[in-house]
Amino acid sequence: MRAWSSPDVPRLPVTGPVVRVHDTATGALVETRPEGPARLYVCGITPYDATHMGHAATYVGFDLLHRAWRNAGHDVTYVQNVTDVDDPLLERAAKVNVDWVELAERETQLFRDDMEALRVLPPAHYIGAVESIPQVITLIERLDEAGAVYRVDDDLYFSVTADDAYGSVSGLDRDAMVAIFPERGGDPDRAGKKDPLDCLLWRAERPGEPAWESPWGPGRPGWHVECTAIALDHLGTAFDVQGGGSDLVFPHHEMSAGHAQVAHPGERFARAYSHAGMVAYDGEKMSKSKGNLVFVSALRMSEVDPMAIRLVLLRHHYRSDWEWTDDQLWDAVDTLATWRRALALGAGADSAPVVERVLAALADDLDAPTAVAAVQEWVEATLGTTGLAEIADREAAGTIHRLLDATLGLSL
Ligand code: 5CA
Ligand code: ZN
């Protein structure tokens, strides 16, 4: 699939520090030590509705990682999927009486436009579930050879007991897994399963549903195996970071890791599992299924500056859960007006310490709120200067301008 176009990213005169991120599996901050290009996989959208602020927060969060790595001198191989065939997409298409392919294409295009407006760097490989069916089939065959696949009617299931490390991504105990599984697409009570936690790998064709040929008859891929196949195909095992929102910790990332670890014994799927917090609205997690949504595209169409949307997101640490309110947007609009005034002066307060602080904050688990606060201090110091004698840095505005663009993705 085509991704979206990349904004130009200025090169900074200094190299950023080693990047550390929080790893859900160990519960600790880990130093990333890319060997060759840094390898990042972030779970993409299921394109049955427009991009909401929760999605945007997650993709802007991982964009900070992409940028921090680049600023630390690494090339980055970034892979993202599009779940362009799955139950919620087919259900929505049937409900609104639109062809599911058309719905997926339309919403994926809207997502691309939103990501471009928010200056999110595109993945090098943007891969749909449908186009990765051959890789999914190969992976299921490998799992089958490892004895981890069985049939329930004509569907294929993955035996979670085949992975010795099962549970190590989420750290959840069995009771907690069984409780969460049905809320996130799982079917613990289906008759014929060996273990309630086993997950679907291949769903045999149902009347009225799309299907593709396979060695087990026509059908379509399960959700978790889609991401495993795409990640392994483009990044291999032990890639640096597997990312997504915290709603994907279990079962999605646990299952994906399980598949990979059974297909490649002795190897890890990812070195770190990194998760963004959930954005709420009207007191509940913003979600397509609940319908409590603020869309990026709706704000764009009402002429809201996308950089103000981005600043709202940046003012929350990527790992925290928070609630969207319109006040924060208007506040961000005012803040950017002040920042632009300071930048228009050309000269200003000393920029070198700000560069250091911003790079350090972002390398320290993508701490954008601290980075934003450092810029705010520079703006206040610059606007507070009363005479030429106080101007410390003649090139300050140019430096801060490039810094904001390269690190926080704010082009002002
Ligand atoms: N296609 C799958 C991943 S393979 C999926 O979860 N799609 S999604 O459209 O539901 O979500 C896309 C991304 O946005 C995922 O990383 C998800 O974790 C994240 N996300 C969804 N809702 C929120 C929210 N309210 N706040 C923050 N992130 C969210
Ligand atoms: Zn995924």
Side-chain angles (χ1 to χ4, degrees):
M1 256 191 204
R2 187 173 51 81
W4 54 94
S5 63
S6 180
D8 287 332
V9 183
R11 289 237 158 254
L12 294 175
V14 288
T15 304
V18 170
V19 181
R20 300 192 307 159
V21 289
H22 182 265
D23 171 29
T24 303
T26 53
L29 288 189
V30 292
E31 281 191 355
T32 58
R33 295 267 174 212
E35 291 157 10
R39 292 172 292 157
L40 172 65
Y41 186 92
V42 179
C43 283
I45 55 162
T46 305
Y48 67 89
D49 207 342
T51 320
H52 61 60
M53 282 312 152
H55 304 133
T58 289
Y59 298 113
V60 166
F62 288 101
D63 191 49
L64 296 174
L65 175 58
H66 193 166
R67 288 167 183 271
W69 270 332
R70 285 174 61 143
N71 293 327
H74 301 292
D75 286 332
V76 179
T77 306
Y78 178 21
V79 180
Q80 190 179 123
N81 68 306
V82 186
T83 308
D84 60 359
V85 63
D86 202 5
D87 299 347
L89 172 68
L90 299 175
E91 283 160 17
R92 176 65 65 89
K95 194 168 156 199
V96 297
N97 204 15
V98 178
D99 176 51
W100 65 275
V101 176
E102 218 174 281
L103 178 63
E105 279 176 3
R106 188 175 75 206
E107 299 303 345
T108 304
Q109 187 51 44
L110 196 58
F111 176 72
R112 292 188 184 102
D113 295 343
D114 290 337
M115 292 297 104
E116 271 180 21
L118 293 173
R119 297 180 76 80
V120 173
L121 302 180
H125 305 280
Y126 193 45
I127 311 290
V130 171
E131 65 183 324
S132 58
I133 286 173
Q135 287 75 20
V136 168
I137 289 173
T138 307
L139 178 58
I140 297 175
E141 284 175 331
R142 215 166 159 149
L143 293 173
D144 194 20
E145 282 159 24
V149 181
Y150 64 94
R151 268 180 196 269
V152 177
D153 305 323
D154 287 331
D155 299 332
L156 299 186
Y157 275 80
F158 172 71
S159 272
V160 292
T161 48
D163 176 23
D164 294 337
Y166 188 75
S168 62
V169 173
S170 64
L172 294 174
D173 62 33
R174 214 185 139 80
D175 288 348
M177 288 182 185
V178 172
I180 299 173
F181 197 42
E183 294 163 21
R184 308 228 174 116
D187 54 359
D189 300 327
R190 182 164 177 187
K193 283 175 63 170
K194 291 184 184 165
D195 184 311
L197 292 174
D198 290 346
C199 71
L200 188 71
L201 287 169
W202 186 259
R203 179 176 156 94
E205 183 171 14
R206 306 289 199 274
E209 287 188 4
W212 291 264
E213 280 309 321
S214 82
W216 320 283
R220 60 183 166 94
W223 171 33
H224 315 303
V225 74
E226 160 199 345
C227 280
T228 322
I230 296 171
L232 290 176
D233 192 35
H234 292 277
L235 297 173
T237 52
F239 58 90
D240 294 282
V241 172
Q242 158 77 312
S246 60
D247 56 339
L248 300 185
V249 174
F250 186 85
H252 188 51
H253 289 173
E254 192 74 71
M255 296 293 184
S256 295
H259 298 341
Q261 283 149 194
V262 171
H264 297 272
E267 292 178 55
R268 281 182 296 170
F269 183 44
R271 294 177 191 203
Y273 297 85
S274 187
H275 293 101
M278 286 293 112
V279 180
Y281 187 55
D282 279 346
E284 273 193 282
K285 174 193 160 189
M286 204 178 279
S287 78
K288 290 181 273 206
S289 50
K290 290 198 195 100
N292 56 334
L293 304 167
V294 179
F295 293 124
V296 175
S297 46
L299 293 181
R300 283 198 291 117
M301 275 156 216
S302 49
E303 308 290 318
V304 171
D305 177 1
M307 293 299 96
I309 301 173
R310 185 157 175 135
L311 181 57
V312 174
L313 308 179
L314 294 170
R315 281 176 156 169
H316 298 274
H317 192 276
Y318 82 100
R319 280 206 282 133
S320 61
D321 297 328
W322 56 282
E323 178 149 356
W324 173 273
T325 55
D326 292 345
D327 292 358
Q328 294 172 65
L329 181 60
W330 310 133
D331 196 62
V333 169
D334 291 346
T335 300
L336 289 186
T338 312
W339 287 15
R340 286 185 170 113
R341 256 194 309 127
L343 290 168
L345 296 175
D350 195 7
S351 61
V354 187
V355 174
E356 293 278 312
R357 284 171 67 196
V358 167
L359 286 171
L362 290 166
D364 182 17
D365 199 24
L366 319 176
D367 186 355
T370 297
V372 167
V375 175
Q376 181 67 29
E377 277 177 35
W378 175 86
V379 166
E380 283 165 18
T382 296
L383 291 174
T385 51
T386 49
L388 280 178
E390 290 180 49
I391 291 174
D393 184 347
R394 307 224 144 265
E395 307 293 327
T399 305
I400 299 294
H401 204 275
R402 283 190 294 279
L403 177 71
L404 283 171
D405 195 351
T407 58
L408 292 168
L410 290 171
S411 172
L412 301 185

